[in-house]
Amino acid sequence: MTAAGDRLSDRTLNRTLLARQHLLARERLSIGALCEHLIGLQAQDVPPPFVGAWSRIADFDRETVDRGLEQRSLVRITLMRGTIHLVTAADALRIAPHIQPELEKVPFRRGFNFGAMVGLDPEEVRARGEATVGDAPISAAELRAAALAHYPDRQPGPLVQAWLYQLPVLQVPPRGRWRDNSKPVWARIERWLGAPLDPDYPLAELLARYLAAFGPASTADMQTWSKLPGAKRAIDALGDRVRTYTDERGKVLYDLADAELTDPGVPAPVRLLGWYDNATLSHRDRGRILPRSAQRTFPVMVSPVLVDGFVAGHYRVTGGTARIVPARTWSAAERAEVEAEAHALLGFLEPEREPEVLILDPDADIRG
């Protein structure tokens, strides 16, 4: 590994991130290939992975997500940062063993659901969960009934959450298909996919893939993305496959040695991303995509608008209308490009409705 090398500007990091995220130009690739490269699409809610794929894939066909879920080549599973991601079946089997030990710690922290699990034996809770989640998929309502039966003096909700953290499970269809926001149904990963988990998949390889999709990045960035310990040790294990840079503040950034940086002068098209899109949340230092002047005030739980590559507003779509709130003053050309992209997104999300785009005042609140 070389010593810390060239200093990279936020704008170089921005254009490199957009290129690696397929946000500089829509590409002709499959939903499986996109999920493989990005190590999943954020899917905490149903629409975001469709918006994320539409923003990155040329002529994206939303039915490919439905088919992938039905054919079990794609799954919805709790992975990075303890949130639901749409990933390939192969990634579910090899990433879950890394994430699972961290998830299992969550329910028995004192702050979990205001101490709801205090006094319970984790191994006993796990054993009862394993007996409950068997060969067949099980609904949240069935899980609550089992929790009440096992622990009649406890609130069932936290117990169900504890089981979902303790056991390697995933969500099965119909939830997650286009416009299907039905209640989650859960199944054991190995039984749903008919294959064993892969505990030997190296963390170093996972972080190498992170760099291919999100790099250059610091070890703090890697931990923000994954919530996994041991990033520095894993990166060191990659040896000469990795080189280093520094950012504008002198922080060491790691990247694959053969990965290309993108010219900071390359134009970046307007993009309207889904809420919690990983492009905006996978770095400790988000200066490469969120202007530093806005980092303390910009709401996290919104759908971001990228203008000139950086977050410059947020939007909400309801009833065929896109309501857009700028975070700064847009030029006439930028405003026109935002309106055009919003009309295109409405045509994808709600083609049966007459589209309307409203650009509101910067202090408008559309988060309700």
Side-chain angles (χ1 to χ4, degrees), residues 13-25:
L13 291 172
N14 172 266
R15 293 309 195 256
T16 301
L17 174 65
L18 297 181
R20 296 184 188 187
Q21 288 284 309
H22 298 300
L23 290 171
L24 285 180

Side-chain angles (χ1 to χ4, degrees), residues 172-304:
V172 305
R175 181 175 173 84
R177 297 184 308 189
W178 175 246
R179 291 182 171 176
D180 194 319
N181 200 31
S182 55
K183 298 291 186 182
V185 175
W186 302 89
R188 300 293 287 268
I189 298 172
E190 293 168 295
R191 289 167 185 164
W192 181 255
L193 295 178
L197 294 171
D198 180 5
D200 297 323
Y201 186 67
L203 177 60
E205 290 304 319
L206 181 60
L207 294 184
R209 292 175 58 195
Y210 167 82
L211 292 176
F214 295 93
S218 68
T219 53
D221 293 329
M222 300 171 204
Q223 289 164 342
T224 294
W225 168 73
S226 67
K227 288 293 186 284
L228 292 174
K232 182 61 168 63
R233 184 170 60 253
I235 286 296
D236 288 344
L238 291 173
D240 291 341
R241 292 174 58 188
V242 173
R243 66 156 298 174
T244 57
Y245 299 96
T246 58
D247 65 14
E248 290 182 354
R249 287 146 299 283
K251 185 75 174 179
V252 175
L253 305 177
Y254 299 89
D255 201 13
L256 298 178
D258 58 356
E260 294 184 0
L261 301 175
T262 304
D263 185 338
V266 170
V270 164
R271 289 290 183 261
L272 277 65
L273 302 180
W275 50 99
Y276 298 123
D277 192 290
N278 284 334
T280 65
L281 295 179
S282 296
H283 300 85
R284 175 75 57 83
D285 183 350
R286 297 196 289 158
R288 72 188 65 205
I289 196 165
L290 181 61
R292 297 185 183 282
S293 60
Q295 290 190 14
R296 290 189 177 182
T297 58
F298 191 83
V300 173
M301 297 172 59
V302 298
S303 301

Side-chain angles (χ1 to χ4, degrees), residues 37 43 52 77 131 158 187 267 347:
H37 172 68
I77 182 174

